[in-house]
Amino acid sequence: MGKIIKYEWRKQRTSRLIILFGLLIGLITFAINERIAFAVSIILMLCGLLVIFYTGIESLLVFNKDLRTKQSHMLWMLPKSVWEILGGKFLAAILQMLFVFAAFTASGFACLTIAIAQSGRLKLLMQFIKNSARALLNADVDWKMLVQFMMLCFLSWTLIIMIGFLAIIISRTLFLNSKFSGLFSVILFFVINYIVERGCFFISKVFNVSALDLHPFILVYYAVVCAVLFGISGILADKKLSV
Amino acid sequence: MILECRGLNKTFISKKAVIDFNLNITEGKIYGLLGENGSGKTTWMKMVAGLTKPTSGDIIFKGHIWNYQDKGTIAYMSTEPFFYDFMTIASVGKYYQDFFDDFDMQKYLKLIDRIGLNENMKVKALSTGMTAKLKVAVTMARKATLYLLDEPLNGIDYKSREEIISIILEEAADNNSFVISTHLIEEIESFVDEAIFVKNGEILLQTDLEKERAENGKSIKDIYLEIM
Amino acid sequence: MNYNAEIPIYLQVIQDIKKKMVQGRIIPGEKLPSSRELAILYKINQNTAARIYREMEMAGYCFTRRGIGTFVSEEKEMFEKIKEEMANELLHNFMTGMKDLGYQKGDIISQIADYKEEKAK
């Protein structure tokens, strides 16, 4: 599995390099020109949103390309089960996400440091760190909420990936290599997504909780749906998909 | 017996690609799989290689029902180029070494050199002929029990074909088998033990070529023209 | 080697080896290639290669020393015999062909006497 992840990770190297390069340019502009620093940081943030969105679905694009170009032979000819292949793809996607988050967080801190250093008030920086640390230690933050929220984010994203995998596999099974396949998987993606959301709506009614409430039921529901989708994807890929 | 297919079918939504294949592959033999494009040769190979699953029927590999771990001793080479764009010839070898226990890196490097390729070449920049040679080299650097070569001579110039055939014959032994699909029948005529003729998804004939020549005075081409 | 696709490959290879023996390109007692080497040399499979040595051994053209390899017969007479056989075969085919065209033996002999060898191009 580790080796599968290694090569999946390698497939997304170009985007990592582009992201890092972009961030570096941003940081340099930020550092050398105080006047446009504010504008730069806004642009960085906007780009950040775009990049995170793209990174979120990049593994789906890679998977679709694998199947379209027959590079999928590289994975399917290996003495590995389909679970390892799909699992490897998913884990590589998580790693990529973590990498991008880490890169953005690091550049955020770098911006902050530069800003404070430039205004010559190192004290302020120390103060800021101290304050943040205190705030965290004093548990001013609702930890439970935060964890739940992060889990929800992770699950929602996992759900996107799982729906995407399934949509691509169904589409490539039905249409093999026709041009229509890519478009159909996008349509299928939204259809499955709609069904899952209806399910969520239904569950929240049954248990009488608000979907916006971050109720544990919702989390469990998403987790179960992800697992089920992954299961269906795996079985379909194993039994029906021709790569 | 290395491989046995019993009542093998593959139906795609729009067509029946393989219909009731019954086929035995024995150790120490080289088989020629012959038929027009779209006759079901590739689909059959992909089923044995695990790239697509049969709709019905059994694939029995070395006495047990085929499972994905058997891909570790089945070396399949597809017609389409399939290496990742970012790879170099060296990293293609590394990839095979990472995943196949039967891959011999030393042999790979020797073969690469012999067919006039260089480790540092980028896969993406290779010509059709070079990619075709690379596919054969990396596949033949495995010590597999069953080799499935889909059109190994396609795109390879006349002079290099001899070399490719030598590479294949050097690896052929008592304990392995080869299935070679090709439309260049005359190129493989002298070294194929048995020919399997396929048309419209069905096996028309599986026959021993020396026997055909001795008993009926027929060449592979004669048979081809007669039954296809 | 160019094969006639309608004649068993093993016979054609044996014929070729015999010709080499007669021409002196293979000498008495010489070690022959292993069947693997033979396969590659003649672009044939292992089974045909093995059969070639089996048939040749049965005919007494060669013998196998276990674990060492296959060797051409050491008997000079064997080479002579092969040469005679091959010549006879050629002659036989030639005569049959000529007779088919309606020539009698006498005509053929005088034809041969008058025959001018074409200059090699």
Side-chain angles (χ1 to χ4, degrees):
Chain A
M1 180 95 119
K3 285 169 186 161
I4 291 183
I5 295 173
K6 179 174 115 184
Y7 285 97
E8 291 303 313
W9 170 252
R10 177 63 182 79
K11 287 180 194 171
Q12 302 189 25
R13 194 177 81 167
T14 314
S15 18
R16 280 197 299 281
L17 290 179
I18 293 172
I19 290 168
L20 284 183
F21 185 70
L23 283 175
L24 196 69
I25 298 283
L27 280 180
I28 291 169
T29 6
F30 189 88
I32 54 172
N33 196 331
E34 257 178 282
R35 266 176 299 170
I36 59 161
F38 182 69
V40 168
S41 55
I42 295 289
I43 292 170
L44 267 186
M45 263 192 271
L46 285 177
C47 288
L49 285 175
L50 274 176
V51 165
I52 284 171
F53 173 75
Y54 173 77
T55 309
I57 60 162
E58 193 183 16
S59 63
L60 297 179
L61 300 176
V62 168
F63 185 35
N64 189 49
K65 186 190 167 219
D66 279 356
L67 290 170
R68 183 169 48 84
T69 56
K70 294 289 168 200
Q71 284 175 359
S72 46
H73 286 194
M74 289 296 267
L75 283 166
W76 259 264
M77 71 177 180
L78 306 177
K80 300 277 176 198
S81 75
V82 77
W83 305 108
E84 278 181 89
I85 296 171
L86 289 180
K89 280 187 168 290
F90 177 55
L91 290 178
I94 293 179
L95 285 180
Q96 181 83 348
M97 272 303 234
L98 289 178
F99 175 87
V100 171
F101 274 125
F104 271 91
T105 314
S107 358
F109 274 110
C111 284
L112 206 64
T113 317
I114 293 167
I116 291 167
Q118 275 176 345
S119 50
R121 281 186 268 182
L122 207 66
K123 254 187 196 165
L124 197 72
L125 174 66
M126 298 312 285
Q127 193 66 39
F128 171 76
I129 292 170
K130 233 183 248 174
N131 283 345
S132 327
R134 196 172 297 140
L136 285 174
L137 286 175
N138 287 352
D140 281 339
V141 192
D142 184 345
W143 282 104
K144 210 180 134 214
M145 266 303 265
L146 190 69
V147 168
Q148 273 192 356
F149 177 72
M150 279 168 64
M151 271 174 69
L152 187 71
C153 284
F154 177 70
L155 276 174
S156 313
W157 172 71
T158 305
L159 192 64
I160 290 173
I161 298 295
M162 291 307 156
I163 293 175
F165 278 174
L166 183 61
I168 291 169
I169 289 169
I170 292 177
S171 183
R172 289 283 161 194
T173 303
L174 291 179
F175 296 102
L176 293 172
N177 256 347
S178 81
K179 276 183 187 163
F180 191 55
S181 181
L183 178 68
F184 185 75
S185 47
V186 174
I187 297 169
L188 209 56
F189 176 85
F190 285 109
V191 171
I192 302 171
N193 205 20
Y194 177 74
I195 296 169
V196 171
E197 288 313 317
R198 290 304 293 176
C200 182
F201 182 69
F202 182 72
I203 293 276
S204 30
K205 266 205 166 163
V206 168
F207 292 98
N208 201 19
V209 291
S210 159
L212 300 170
D213 217 12
L214 282 188
H215 197 275
F217 269 124
I218 305 297
L219 292 181
V220 172
Y221 170 76
Y222 277 139
V224 169
V225 169
C226 285
V228 168
L229 288 173
F230 187 67
I232 299 174
S233 298
I235 291 168
L236 264 183
D238 191 39
K239 300 267 184 262
K240 291 287 171 209
L241 184 68
S242 295
V243 302
Chain B
M1 187 113 52
I2 282 187
L3 183 82
E4 201 183 337
C5 295
R6 286 203 217 119
L8 207 59
N9 283 284
K10 178 69 189 183
T11 310
F12 292 113
I13 287 166
S14 51
K15 78 175 238 185
K16 287 184 171 179
V18 165
I19 305 163
D20 196 31
F21 261 48
N22 290 292
L23 179 69
N24 293 333
I25 302 294
T26 319
E27 280 100 336
K29 284 194 179 178
I30 303 175
Y31 294 80
L33 188 59
L34 311 170
E36 287 164 21
N37 288 338
S39 56
K41 295 175 294 177
T42 297
T43 307
W44 175 78
M45 274 198 183
K46 283 188 174 177
M47 283 196 276
V48 180
L51 269 66
T52 186
K53 279 284 165 70
T55 311
S56 64
D58 295 317
I59 300 175
I60 295 144
F61 183 71
K62 286 183 179 171
H64 61 264
I65 297 280
W66 187 97
N67 69 63
Y68 72 85
Q69 279 159 340
D70 294 327
K71 295 182 199 177
T73 53
I74 296 176
Y76 168 66
M77 191 206 89
S78 73
T79 337
E80 307 101 337
F82 50 91
F83 304 118
Y84 294 138
D85 297 337
F86 58 77
M87 287 184 151
T88 60
I89 287 182
S91 63
V92 167
K94 184 75 181 56
Y95 186 87
Y96 273 65
Q97 193 180 36
D98 274 349
F99 289 106
F100 294 112
D101 295 336
D102 62 2
F103 183 76
D104 180 348
M105 188 58 120
Q106 288 304 315
K107 183 167 181 213
Y108 175 64
L109 295 176
K110 267 187 212 151
L111 289 179
I112 286 303
D113 192 46
R114 191 166 143 193
I115 55 180
L117 296 176
N118 176 312
E119 272 185 70
N120 303 318
M121 289 175 170
K122 286 214 155 227
V123 164
K124 225 176 146 181
L126 295 180
S127 68
T128 319
M130 283 169 156
T131 310
K133 288 197 228 170
L134 172 62
K135 281 193 303 175
V136 176
V138 77
T139 309
M140 295 313 301
R142 287 182 60 188
K143 268 251 166 307
T145 16
L146 177 61
Y147 294 86
L148 304 167
L149 309 177
D150 200 353
E151 297 284 0
L153 301 174
N154 251 21
I156 294 179
D157 62 278
Y158 192 74
K159 230 176 117 192
S160 307
R161 280 184 200 164
E162 298 284 312
E163 193 72 46
I164 295 296
I165 288 170
S166 289
I167 290 172
I168 292 171
L169 289 176
E170 279 162 29
E171 208 45 53
D174 296 344
N175 55 1
N176 62 23
S177 329
F178 283 76
V179 181
I180 299 171
S181 104
T182 185
H183 62 265
L184 300 164
I185 1 179
E186 275 131 337
E187 296 279 346
I188 62 161
E189 175 143 44
S190 65
F191 64 86
V192 162
D193 285 283
E194 289 185 27
I196 303 162
F197 295 90
V198 184
K199 189 181 185 182
N200 297 331
E202 290 179 277
I203 295 178
L204 296 182
L205 180 70
Q206 176 171 359
T207 186
D208 184 299
L209 289 182
E210 280 287 75
K211 224 172 171 178
E212 288 286 348
R213 285 185 282 255
E215 289 172 9
N216 310 322
K218 276 183 191 163
S219 72
I220 199 170
K221 204 173 160 190
D222 295 337
I223 307 171
Y224 191 95
L225 292 173
E226 199 172 293
I227 64 173
M228 299 296 255
Chain C
M1 178 164 159
N2 285 322
Y3 293 103
N4 179 335
E6 278 138 17
I7 298 170
I9 303 287
Y10 83 97
L11 290 178
Q12 300 183 56
V13 174
I14 290 177
Q15 198 69 12
D16 191 64
I17 295 174
K18 277 159 76 181
K19 205 159 130 194
K20 282 183 182 162
M21 288 164 75
V22 170
Q23 289 168 339
R25 284 156 74 193
I26 297 178
I27 56 168
E30 187 177 323
K31 188 176 185 294
L32 289 167
S34 69
S35 45
R36 173 174 298 268
E37 286 161 353
L38 190 77
I40 296 159
L41 195 65
Y42 280 97
K43 227 169 105 177
I44 56 180
N45 59 55
Q46 294 282 309
N47 300 307
T48 308
R51 181 167 187 186
I52 288 164
Y53 282 159
R54 224 167 35 235
E55 301 274 347
M56 283 180 52
E57 218 168 311
M58 270 190 339
Y61 301 151
C62 64
F63 60 94
T64 303
R65 283 203 186 117
R66 266 183 194 281
I68 308 178
T70 307
F71 296 83
V72 185
S73 166
E74 281 158 357
E75 299 166 39
K76 280 237 165 183
E77 305 86 71
M78 172 68 75
F79 281 65
E80 285 305 316
K81 213 182 102 198
I82 292 172
K83 189 171 182 176
E84 235 165 77
E85 271 174 16
M86 289 181 84
N88 271 333
E89 203 183 309
L90 277 175
L91 198 57
H92 175 76
N93 289 342
F94 170 70
M95 290 301 282
T96 327
M98 289 300 271
K99 278 178 183 161
D100 273 356
L101 295 177
Y103 287 98
Q104 293 306 307
K105 198 173 173 184
D107 305 329
I108 298 171
I109 291 173
S110 62
Q111 282 230 323
I112 291 176
D114 294 342
Y115 179 71
K116 289 193 184 77
E117 263 186 77
E118 281 175 59
K119 275 184 187 151
K121 280 172 191 173

